[in-house]
Amino acid sequence: MGRGRRWVAAIGALSAAVLISGVAGARAFPSPGTPQQVAALVASSHAIERLPSSLVPPLADLGADNAAAWGYWKVAHGCTTVTECAYGDKGASASVVLLGDSHAAMWLPALDWVGHHLGFRVVLLWEPGCPAADVTVLSDRTHRVDAACNAFRKAALSAITTLAPELVLTANRTTNVEGPGGRFVTSRAWQAGLTATISTLLAAKLRVAVIGDVTALTSRIPQCLAAYPSTVQRCSSPNPNPAEHTERKAELAAAKATGVPYLDPEPWLCTKVCSPVVGTYATYYDWQHVSATYAAFLSLEWEGALKPLLVGGAAQRRTGASARPSTVVR
């Protein structure tokens, strides 16, 4: 099945998850792992061969282990306004905006926790299959140019400028993204498109950071783990995965070109191999999305990455100081 068609299936699974909310919603998210715990589990993950009997979430629930299934109902089909999908500390005066496609929405369980912990409101703006990068893509539903995506992005940037948040995070699916003619968006176009989006936000004196994408696996993880419970690594993929076309390097290049932080979650999932199981956790709920459970497990990692970017942010904007932090978080 082609990647675009797989995405259609993923959207269907997301909608189905809303209908079976009791499956995952009845459980509690795991306590966040410390950075030391995460590092130790990831370091040994390539050696896992037998599916843990205590897999979290259980294999039967894994395919629906996304944010919508955990009670974030409004995120199921997209969030198009700055008031529609607000989480974290909703009463806080400070906001952090998470802008992008489903690869932005998948981090909501972690950022919601961080927002509560650090005292900021998390505003999610996302549209299915619509990257924050200013590039024209094909709709995964119609396989035609997605004009609605371009309109959403323009409106989102305008709304963010008006909101004036403490920080804007962009997060995109970068694997096998099709543009006009059905050809993959080129690295040059992707870097230019993300640079354009970042530059628009910087011109409004906003702080910006890029969340790097995760490595896409070759297998559909729930089905693969069910087929190979005693040889789990048959479901893993090398990192980077040469079987998939990705623009992760283009995103890093755009971050460096604009002087904004690049937050790389890859070390929290992969070594030279991306295992579908880390410790007792299933890391992906399909071939390209981090499971909501594992995202929540990474909450302390996200707190550590975001906290330095929030300190003094409001003061910098008020005094007109540079809103372009130069640290690249790898």
Side-chain angles (χ1 to χ4, degrees):
M1 179 183 290
R3 290 304 197 200
R5 281 64 175 180
R6 284 196 202 180
W7 181 240
V8 172
I11 291 294
L14 183 62
S15 299
V18 176
L19 299 177
I20 57 172
S21 60
V23 175
R27 303 192 313 273
F29 276 136
S31 298
T34 66
Q36 295 78 12
Q37 289 171 330
V38 172
L41 292 177
V42 171
S44 59
S45 61
H46 67 281
I48 296 173
E49 287 294 348
R50 185 170 295 277
L51 195 65
S53 58
S54 56
L55 184 71
V56 184
L59 186 57
D61 299 341
L62 179 56
D65 193 50
N66 52 61
W70 281 93
Y72 299 100
W73 307 121
K74 294 180 181 180
V75 311
H77 303 291
C79 302
T80 58
T81 71
V82 296
T83 57
E84 187 177 356
C85 299
Y87 301 94
D89 184 350
K90 295 181 182 180
S93 59
S95 297
V96 171
V97 170
L98 180 57
L99 172 67
D101 54 21
S102 62
H103 285 221
M106 74 183 182
W107 292 120
L108 184 58
L111 296 192
D112 182 27
W113 186 93
V114 177
H116 280 288
H117 205 233
L118 296 185
F120 62 80
R121 187 160 43 107
V122 178
V123 176
L124 175 64
L125 281 169
W126 84 284
E127 182 79 4
C130 183
D134 188 5
V135 293
T136 297
V137 298
L138 296 188
S139 166
D140 287 313
R141 297 185 184 91
T142 66
H143 213 60
R144 297 177 180 175
V145 168
D146 193 349
C149 171
N150 294 336
F152 161 76
R153 188 186 305 112
K154 182 178 179 179
L157 291 175
S158 177
I160 292 169
T161 299
T162 300
L163 180 65
E166 296 296 314
L167 177 67
V168 182
L169 301 169
T170 68
N172 301 299
R173 167 196 172 190
T174 62
T175 300
N176 301 339
V177 179
E178 294 181 319
R183 295 179 294 273
F184 293 143
V185 177
T186 66
S187 296
R188 177 180 294 182
W190 196 275
Q191 181 179 341
L194 185 55
T195 296
T197 295
I198 294 171
S199 297
T200 296
L201 295 167
L202 293 178
K205 300 188 183 301
L206 298 175
R207 284 191 163 201
V208 183
V210 175
I211 296 178
D213 198 12
V214 297
T215 295
L217 308 187
T218 301
S219 302
R220 292 183 177 186
I221 296 307
Q223 294 89 333
C224 188
L225 292 178
Y228 302 108
S230 299
T231 51
V232 163
Q233 293 308 311
R234 293 186 66 168
C235 306
S236 66
S237 292
N239 179 31
N241 186 356
E244 310 298 341
H245 177 90
T246 180
E247 297 303 340
R248 291 180 67 227
K249 289 183 178 179
E251 295 226 305
L252 176 58
K256 286 184 175 180
T258 52
V260 304
Y262 179 83
L263 310 179
D264 187 5
E266 195 73 358
W268 307 335
L269 291 103
C270 308
T271 56
K272 292 182 178 180
V273 171
C274 292
S275 172
V277 178
V278 169
T280 58
Y281 296 99
T283 51
Y284 290 68
Y285 73 77
D286 57 12
W287 62 282
Q288 57 157 330
H289 292 95
V290 176
S291 69
T293 299
Y294 195 69
F297 181 65
L298 297 177
S299 294
L300 280 173
E301 294 280 18
W302 279 115
E303 181 184 46
L306 295 179
K307 192 173 183 178
L309 306 183
L310 295 167
V311 175
Q316 282 199 1
R317 278 209 309 280
R318 284 196 299 269
T319 59
S322 172
R324 302 177 67 170
S326 59
T327 304
V328 176
V329 183
R330 297 301 306 277

